[in-house]
């Protein structure tokens, strides 16, 4: 009912609509309309009320409500219906929340999105800072029939899709992708991606792609240890805020496109998209893995998205995961 009341207000905006007219149209009492208006105001919608004219919508908050996300989206798989969007004002981690839903059988394309995470996760037990209303914390559930070894490709696919999604709403930003999961602007991290899977030896049950983006964060929104290594779209965009709703739509649209094209065109397409924003290949790097710390030149990507490193003596090695430092 709340969504229906909101829709009526939107349809009429910027004009007024009376409580009586809404009640009649929706087949409910005027008290019910009034209660829903109050609930919408609590959700942050700006609704004026005048005893003679009725109600008027004067502003929509830049919160990641499913109704606001879905209206700008024409996706076929990812978040393609309102019931596939799971919204949280606050959650420990959208990846963890979505994993619970996936284990209960949530369909492919389900997403979890939050205004704030209290326990946002990075790779290898690291944390991800996601203060309320400043960024986007988004996780996407996919169930492709592939082998677990293909997973790195999806991190690369996401990095390229998010880069293009950001470019759509804030053109002109020079975003580079550091293999495998960091989006950097001016060498500072603006977005991180955490891909987690549930799999058996040869069979992928599902994968969850978690995306954390610093959107409208000001310098004071970052904890002290991040102030020198993190940035936000706002800070890089002449201190101009961007709509988190529009950005979310733009990213979901790109991901949906890329995911479908992957099945039509194969991994080459993803690698080519990723390479457009690459700041890793051709560079001297050091890669830290569980076992080693190796320096060499990043010379290419394998068909499955692994990084190929050439050491001084010409030996080539492939890495499926690891922490890269650009030299
Ligand atoms: C990542 O890990 O970069 C993956 C981050 C994924 C976050 C998303 S948010 C939605 C979903 N739900 C989750 O719980 N997680 C995902 P990694 O490469 O390990 O980088 C982590 C490191 O980045 C930290 O150790 C910090 O140094 C730094 N960091 C933490 N928060 C940051 C932020 N907001 N901006 C930039 N850097 C940050």
């Amino acid at each position: 009912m709340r969504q229906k009341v909101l829709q009526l207000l939107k349809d009429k905006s910027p004009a007024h609509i009376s409580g009586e007219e809404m009640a009649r149209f929706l087949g409910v009492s005027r008290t019910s309309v009034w209660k829903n208006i109050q609930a919408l105001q609590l959700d942050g919608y700006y609704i004026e009320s005048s005893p003679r004219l009725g109600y008027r919508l004067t502003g929509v908050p830049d919160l990641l409500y499913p109704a606001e996300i879905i209206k700008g989206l024409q996706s076929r798989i990812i978040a393609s219906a309102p019931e596939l969007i799971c919204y949280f004002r606050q959650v420990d981690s959208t990846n963890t929340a979505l994993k619970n839903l996936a284990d209960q059988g949530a369909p492919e394309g389900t997403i979890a999105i939050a205004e704030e995470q209290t326990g946002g996760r990075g790779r290898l037990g690291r944390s991800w800072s996601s203060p309320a209303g400043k960024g986007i914390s988004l996780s996407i559930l996919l169930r492709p029939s592939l082998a677990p070894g293909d997973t790195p490709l999806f991190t690369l696919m996401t990095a390229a899709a998010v880069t293009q999604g950001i470019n759509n709403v804030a053109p002109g930003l020079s975003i580079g992708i550091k293999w495998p999961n960091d989006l950097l602007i001016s060498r500072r991290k603006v977005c991180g991606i955490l891909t987690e899977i549930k799999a058996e030896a040869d069979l992928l049950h599902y994968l969850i792609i978690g995306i954390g983006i610093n959107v409208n964060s000001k310098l004071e929104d970052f904890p002290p240890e991040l102030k020198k290594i993190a940035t936000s779209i706002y800070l890089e965009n002449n201190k101009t805020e961007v709509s988190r709703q529009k950005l979310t739509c733009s990213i979901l649209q790109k991901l949906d496109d890329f995911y479908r094209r992957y099945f039509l065109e194969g991994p080459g397409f993803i690698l080519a998209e990723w390479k457009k924003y690459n700041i890793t290949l051709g560079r001297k790097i050091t890669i830290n893995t569980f076992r080693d710390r190796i320096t060499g030149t990043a010379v290419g990507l394998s068909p499955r998205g692994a990084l190929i490193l050439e050491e001084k003596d010409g030996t080539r090695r492939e890495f499926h995961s690891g922490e890269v430092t650009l030299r």
Side-chain angles (χ1 to χ4, degrees):
M1 186 52 64
R2 204 186 299 183
Q3 290 311 320
K4 286 183 182 163
V5 169
L6 178 60
Q7 199 51 54
L8 282 182
L9 288 164
K10 283 184 175 170
D11 292 346
K12 272 279 178 174
S13 173
H16 286 82
I17 178 168
S18 74
E20 195 180 329
E21 194 181 338
M22 278 199 266
R24 210 176 331 113
F25 189 84
L26 297 170
V28 295
S29 66
R30 279 173 65 180
T31 316
S32 162
V33 168
W34 176 72
K35 281 191 177 149
N36 280 292
I37 295 272
Q38 280 195 317
L40 286 166
Q41 285 170 327
L42 278 178
D43 281 350
Y45 288 91
Y46 297 93
I47 302 168
E48 265 176 24
S49 72
S50 129
R52 271 190 322 109
L53 300 168
Y55 302 104
R56 186 164 85 104
L57 182 69
T58 56
V60 173
D62 189 23
L63 296 175
L64 305 168
Y65 292 139
E68 303 300 336
I69 302 297
I70 205 101
K71 73 171 192 222
L73 201 58
Q74 286 171 329
S75 57
R76 294 209 213 141
I77 300 170
I78 298 172
S80 54
E83 60 275 16
L84 295 182
I85 305 182
C86 194
Y87 170 80
F88 300 92
R89 277 253 166 182
Q90 189 190 65
V91 72
D92 56 346
S93 149
T94 52
N95 263 33
T96 310
L98 192 56
K99 180 181 183 310
N100 292 335
L101 293 173
D103 287 337
Q104 290 160 32
E108 168 158 271
T110 304
I111 68 165
I113 190 158
E115 306 292 350
E116 177 182 11
Q117 292 185 119
T118 51
R121 295 189 285 109
R123 295 177 301 158
L124 304 168
R126 292 188 286 246
S127 63
W128 181 260
S129 157
S130 0
K134 298 292 173 184
I136 295 173
S137 299
L138 166 69
S139 300
I140 294 138
L141 171 64
L142 298 177
R143 297 183 181 275
S145 312
L146 294 171
D150 291 313
T151 310
L153 270 177
F154 290 89
T155 303
L156 304 191
M157 173 183 91
T158 305
V162 173
T163 303
Q164 291 188 13
I166 296 176
N167 278 333
N168 278 344
V169 297
L173 294 184
S174 175
I175 306 170
I177 310 176
K178 180 165 79 92
W179 186 92
N181 70 324
D182 285 355
L183 265 55
L184 307 182
I185 308 179
S186 326
R187 306 190 117 216
R188 290 168 182 242
K189 188 155 164 172
V190 69
C191 165
I193 298 163
L194 173 68
T195 306
E196 297 182 297
I197 62 169
K198 180 162 181 176
E200 285 167 43
D202 291 327
L203 179 68
L204 189 64
H205 291 300
Y206 62 74
L207 70 107
I208 288 176
I209 304 171
I211 305 167
I213 311 172
N214 304 320
V215 184
N216 290 326
S217 334
K218 321 247 168 348
L219 206 56
E220 61 267 26
D221 296 320
F222 292 111
E225 69 277 14
L226 294 183
K227 285 194 196 299
K228 288 214 169 109
I229 57 170
T231 190
S232 70
I233 297 174
Y234 167 85
L235 289 171
E236 302 295 333
N237 192 32
N238 297 320
K239 303 212 168 164
T240 309
E241 295 207 348
V242 299
S243 154
R244 290 153 73 236
Q245 286 170 0
K246 279 201 186 125
L247 180 57
T248 306
C249 282
S250 169
I251 289 169
L252 290 171
Q253 192 70 55
K254 273 286 165 206
L255 270 173
D256 189 72
D257 260 25
F258 279 16
Y259 187 52
R260 284 184 294 118
R261 280 180 69 187
Y262 166 75
F263 291 105
L264 295 172
E265 298 174 38
F269 149 73
I270 290 182
L271 299 178
E273 289 295 327
W274 186 91
K275 282 179 185 164
K276 288 183 191 167
Y277 311 101
N278 146 62
I279 50 166
T280 316
L281 302 185
R283 300 271 298 261
K284 195 167 177 206
I285 63 160
T286 297
I287 184 161
N288 278 300
T289 69
F290 278 126
R291 269 174 279 139
D292 308 301
R293 180 186 158 83
I294 298 144
T295 297
T297 306
V299 290
L301 293 179
S302 80
R304 287 178 135 186
L307 185 67
I308 304 168
L309 189 83
E310 188 174 284
E311 292 179 74
K312 240 188 189 160
D313 63 2
T315 319
R316 287 193 167 195
R317 294 170 65 168
E318 239 180 70
F319 294 90
H320 294 265
S321 62
E323 184 70 39
V324 166
T325 312
L326 302 173
R327 298 271 134 208

